[in-house]
Amino acid sequence: MTAIDKRTWGIGLGLAVVACVLVPNVLSSYWIYLAITAMVSAVIMQSFGVIVGRAGVMSLCQMSFAAIGAWVVLRLNLSDAPGGFLLWLVIGGLAAVPVGVAIGLPALRIRGVNLAVVTFGFAVSADIVLNANQFPGTEELKTLNRPSMFASNGKFFILVVIVFVLLAVLLEFFNRTRIGMSWRELRYSERAAAAHGTSVARSKLAAFALSAFIAGVGGGLMAGQLGLVVASNFSMGQSLALFAVAILIGPHHTEGAIMGGVFGAVMATILDKLKLPQDLGGLLFGFFAIFALRTGVSQTDFTRARKREAEGRKVLAALPERNESEKAGPVVAPPVGGAPLLEVRDLTVRFGEVVAVDGVNLTIPDGGVVGLIGPNGAGKSTFIAAVTGFLAGYEGNVVLAGQSIDRLSPSARARLGLRRTFQTTTIAPELTQYEYLTIGAGRKLSKQEADELLDFFGCPPGEVPVSIVDVGTRRLLDVAAAIAARPKVALLDEPAAGQSAAESLTLGRRLAEVPSRFGVSILLVEHDMELVRAACAKVTVLDFGHVIASGPTREVLDDPAVMAAYLGTADVPLV
Ligand code: ADP
Ligand code: MG
């Protein structure tokens, strides 16, 4: 936890204590009731924070999960189950989890608006079921038994605040786990997450499960507040309005969850006082949410990003000019005599009539840097995609360290030690470089290790957010993140694109050092011949999916056939 995090937590807990002292003792009973409403909404906002804010999944049925929590709590209350309200609350939350996972299962195949429709469909059917059946205790007029310690509304407010804080701590813990980290990337790019070894399925299901749990607890709290609940407390309209608030405010940050809760509660009251229909609130939120959806940035993200970017710019401004020539000198490409580490045999990829990769054989030896070159459209990126599992339907075999990996998913291959970068970078701009490296590494990196990697690849200091580094540097960061995982082999797709000739050569020098320094072997896809000459002792040339030459770099690049087919008669590559 950084110093800033600690301070933020300190301030947050301080405010929570102040609220717990002031609200019950100073406010009138009307406002205490409203404060409870706001905090219960804030808990439900936390559930939106996980699924919408973190994982970027459009879920419109969070109130249905809340209804399950409320139902279970009231059912246990009706039968005077042992344990009391606090235990029932947890059970109510847990009861929503399997339903959350069940709703999450279709989310593995569909996304975006289609998923929103599926979750909304569930919300509608839940609505119908709830309207046809009363909540337990309604008929018997048995209202919820609050624990004696929190019986009054003032005391119950304190309980809701405590639950909110506990959930905030739980979320903070989750956000630091591998799955929690992966959500931040998932929201931005699923394929990047998979390339970093994240199982997209597991990650999404975990988000559904956790968000359903929190919503269930929120529903239980609502039952605690109202004594008895009715179907309209959990209507799909509510889900929709809260979803809009979530998009707008960004409840994945604690302050956002509270703002969302207060906003929702106060809005309803204002509409009530003005004698306007409640649906108007949903309409207004929906209107604002369109703006948030268009920019893709919520209020809290925006505020935090601005602050971080301002700090990042200061760090960048204070940097001394980098002097690359210091490191100049002859580059020695590592030898390629090691044992075969990655073996690709007879790889063929077809896109309909087009044979993008045609029976390619390629071996990357342990400790080697092997080049893969060829004009645009030769099949280089397709080769990487197939080898790393992103194209399921290929013919041929991929063997990593003696193990056949043809049946494995991209994330499983990544976890086995096969990493890739993409030709177009897919780094979530809201992350800092440290955070991105940690996601890439898939483990906790020490600051020293992260600093060393960033320095080695010529990236700015780690606290600088990705949003303010240029595209060329993002590519280097992508390479650094792939190496941070210490894979067996890293497949780099044109890492030097967008770099000047001098920068490109510097990168070549660094890549040549990677095997001995980090124990990672490399396949380098490049256009820049100087870079390939510098870093690779061996190179394979593709043209229209075929291997037209393969062997020691110098021999291959000077081969007249290669010159003719690839370089043409001009001095520059035909790219
Ligand atoms: P390179 O990376 O060497 O520039 P690619 O691997 O991107 O080449 O493309 C190789 C060939 O495969 C090209 O003819 C391209 O149009 C085709 N291709 C690549 N991806 C697809 C796809 N998803 N669907 C159809 N054709 C594709
Ligand atoms: Mg390509």
Side-chain angles (χ1 to χ4, degrees):
M1 208 185 261
T2 65
I4 297 178
D5 285 347
K6 276 187 190 145
R7 219 185 66 195
T8 314
W9 270 98
I11 294 173
L13 287 176
L15 286 176
V17 171
V18 170
C20 286
V21 173
L22 285 188
V23 170
N25 294 314
V26 177
L27 297 186
S28 69
S29 58
Y30 175 79
W31 284 101
I32 293 176
Y33 188 79
L34 212 57
I36 298 176
T37 309
M39 283 313 293
V40 172
S41 307
V43 169
I44 292 171
M45 275 288 139
Q46 286 176 312
S47 88
F48 276 100
V50 172
I51 193 79
V52 181
R54 284 276 175 219
V57 174
M58 296 239 246
S59 167
L60 296 177
C61 59
Q62 297 305 108
M63 288 311 277
S64 310
F65 299 144
I68 294 171
W71 195 93
V72 168
V73 165
L74 288 171
R75 184 73 197 77
L76 292 169
N77 178 62
L78 183 63
S79 55
D80 289 316
F85 179 67
L86 295 179
L87 181 66
W88 303 342
L89 210 53
V90 177
I91 297 176
L94 290 176
V97 169
V99 184
V101 172
I103 299 296
L105 284 173
L108 304 181
R109 299 231 167 265
I110 55 178
R111 48 186 64 85
V113 175
N114 291 344
L115 181 59
V117 171
V118 169
T119 55
F120 194 61
F122 175 67
V124 172
S125 20
D127 240 20
I128 294 169
V129 174
L130 290 177
N131 274 305
N133 298 281
Q134 290 179 328
F135 277 86
T138 313
E139 216 164 286
E140 300 83 350
L141 279 179
K142 183 167 162 101
T143 56
L144 188 105
N145 245 335
R146 288 182 190 167
S148 53
M149 253 181 88
F150 301 104
S152 71
N153 272 348
K155 296 273 166 53
F156 191 73
F157 172 79
I158 296 176
L159 174 64
V160 182
V161 171
I162 293 173
V163 172
F164 179 87
V165 170
L166 288 178
L167 289 173
V169 172
L170 177 77
L171 288 174
E172 176 78 20
F173 165 78
F174 248 90
N175 290 339
R176 283 157 198 274
T177 62
R178 186 165 180 178
I179 283 197
M181 282 288 217
S182 73
W183 290 334
R184 308 179 64 176
E185 181 163 51
L186 200 62
R187 170 180 166 193
Y188 188 73
S189 163
E190 286 187 14
R191 60 176 198 155
H196 288 139
T198 300
S199 159
V200 174
R202 201 176 309 152
S203 180
K204 273 192 186 174
L205 286 182
F208 265 103
L210 184 62
S211 86
F213 173 77
I214 297 172
V217 170
L221 287 173
M222 211 180 219
Q225 179 190 8
L226 302 171
L228 275 175
V229 293
V230 290
S232 62
N233 293 121
F234 307 99
S235 72
M236 57 189 171
Q238 292 274 359
S239 277
L240 214 55
L242 290 177
F243 172 77
V245 178
I247 292 284
L248 188 63
I249 295 185
H252 46 292
H253 302 300
T254 305
E255 76 273 16
I258 294 178
M259 270 157 59
V262 171
F263 205 41
V266 171
M267 187 66 159
T269 311
I270 292 174
L271 290 174
D272 199 40
K273 295 243 155 165
L274 294 177
K275 306 235 174 322
L276 290 170
Q278 291 292 324
D279 295 346
L280 202 63
L283 209 65
L284 277 177
F285 288 140
F287 182 71
F288 286 123
I290 290 172
F291 286 105
L293 273 174
R294 277 182 52 156
T295 55
V297 179
S298 65
Q299 189 54 48
T300 46
D301 273 335
F302 182 72
T303 317
R304 287 190 176 212
R306 261 216 319 223
K307 210 164 134 191
R308 253 194 341 218
E309 285 177 6
E311 279 161 19
R313 285 207 180 85
K314 268 189 240 158
V315 173
L316 287 182
L319 284 184
E321 196 68 21
R322 258 187 107 88
N323 189 359
E324 295 298 354
S325 57
E326 273 172 25
K327 295 188 180 168
V331 189
V332 184
V336 284
L341 187 54
L342 179 73
E343 294 165 89
V344 181
R345 297 180 198 136
D346 291 325
L347 187 80
T348 299
V349 180
R350 297 173 211 275
F351 295 113
E353 292 296 300
V354 179
V355 186
V357 175
D358 194 358
V360 171
N361 287 291
L362 198 148
T363 299
I364 298 172
D366 197 0
V369 178
V370 173
L372 179 63
I373 62 173
N376 254 346
K380 307 180 297 292
S381 296
T382 306
F383 177 85
I384 290 189
V387 169
T388 49
F390 283 82
L391 288 175
Y394 61 79
E395 295 157 39
N397 298 105
V398 182
V399 177
L400 180 65
Q403 183 187 352
S404 167
I405 58 170
D406 295 312
R407 302 173 78 86
L408 299 183
S409 68
S411 57
R413 293 185 199 202
R415 287 194 295 272
L416 267 188
L418 190 59
R419 293 287 171 131
R420 70 167 296 182
T421 63
F422 293 91
Q423 197 170 346
T424 41
T425 45
T426 45
I427 307 177
E430 70 209 40
L431 299 171
T432 65
Q433 298 189 90
Y434 276 142
E435 287 167 338
Y436 188 66
L437 279 189
T438 310
I439 291 175
R443 65 191 154 92
K444 203 167 160 30
L445 276 183
S446 71
K447 186 172 178 309
Q448 188 196 347
E449 198 180 346
D451 286 340
E452 188 199 330
L453 272 162
L454 291 172
D455 183 59
F456 180 76
F457 284 103
C459 302
E463 60 270 30
V464 174
V466 173
S467 55
I468 59 169
V469 302
D470 59 68
V471 176
T473 310
R474 284 186 202 191
R475 293 185 154 274
L476 299 180
L477 177 63
D478 228 358
V479 176
I483 305 297
R486 303 292 170 110
K488 295 185 177 78
V489 181
L491 312 178
L492 310 178
D493 201 346
E494 303 196 19
Q499 317 265 358
S500 71
E503 286 168 336
S504 176
L505 205 60
T506 310
L507 177 63
R509 193 166 285 130
R510 288 171 178 140
L511 291 178
E513 251 183 76
V514 162
S516 58
R517 191 157 170 169
F518 299 102
V520 179
S521 309
I522 287 183
L523 177 78
L524 176 64
V525 165
E526 249 317 319
H527 272 318
D528 186 328
M529 286 307 114
E530 291 314 308
L531 195 163
V532 172
R533 256 183 224 280
C536 311
K538 200 184 127 200
V539 67
T540 294
V541 187
L542 278 188
D543 195 20
F544 292 111
H546 299 280
V547 174
I548 57 168
S550 186
T553 305
R554 243 151 256 292
E555 278 172 36
V556 168
L557 293 188
D558 296 340
D559 180 345
V562 172
M563 303 271 266
Y566 175 45
L567 302 175
T569 48
D571 285 327
V572 286
L574 299 173
V575 292

Coordinates of all heavy atoms in Angstrom, one line a residue, residues 376 380-382 423 493-494 525, ligand 2:
N376 N 4.6 -6.9 -45.7 CA 3.2 -6.8 -45.1 C 2.3 -7.9 -45.7 O 2.4 -8.1 -46.9 CB 2.6 -5.5 -45.5 CG 2.6 -4.5 -44.3 OD1 2.8 -5.0 -43.2 ND2 2.4 -3.3 -44.5
K380 N 3.1 -13.0 -40.8 CA 3.9 -13.0 -39.5 C 3.0 -12.9 -38.3 O 3.1 -13.7 -37.3 CB 4.9 -11.8 -39.5 CG 5.8 -11.8 -40.8 CD 6.7 -10.6 -40.7 CE 6.1 -9.2 -40.8 NZ 5.4 -8.9 -42.0
S381 N 2.1 -11.9 -38.3 CA 1.2 -11.8 -37.1 C 0.3 -13.0 -37.0 O 0.0 -13.4 -35.9 CB 0.3 -10.5 -37.3 OG 1.1 -9.4 -37.3
T382 N -0.1 -13.6 -38.1 CA -1.0 -14.7 -38.1 C -0.2 -15.9 -37.4 O -0.8 -16.7 -36.7 CB -1.5 -15.1 -39.5 OG1 -2.1 -14.0 -40.1 CG2 -2.4 -16.3 -39.5
Q423 N 0.7 -6.3 -32.4 CA 1.1 -5.3 -33.4 C 0.6 -3.9 -33.0 O 1.2 -2.9 -33.2 CB 0.8 -5.7 -34.8 CG 1.6 -5.0 -35.8 CD 1.4 -5.6 -37.2 OE1 0.8 -6.7 -37.4 NE2 1.8 -4.8 -38.2
D493 N 5.7 -8.8 -31.7 CA 5.2 -8.4 -33.0 C 5.5 -6.9 -33.3 O 4.8 -6.0 -32.9 CB 3.7 -8.6 -33.1 CG 3.2 -8.7 -34.5 OD1 4.0 -8.4 -35.5 OD2 2.1 -9.2 -34.8
E494 N 6.6 -6.7 -34.0 CA 7.0 -5.4 -34.4 C 7.2 -4.4 -33.3 O 6.5 -3.3 -33.3 CB 6.1 -4.8 -35.5 CG 6.1 -5.7 -36.7 CD 5.5 -5.1 -38.0 OE1 5.5 -3.9 -38.1 OE2 5.1 -5.8 -38.9
V525 N 9.5 -10.4 -34.6 CA 8.9 -10.0 -35.9 C 9.2 -8.6 -36.2 O 8.9 -7.7 -35.3 CB 7.4 -10.3 -35.9 CG1 6.8 -9.6 -37.1 CG2 7.1 -11.8 -35.9
Ligands
MG2 MG 1.7 -8.1 -38.8

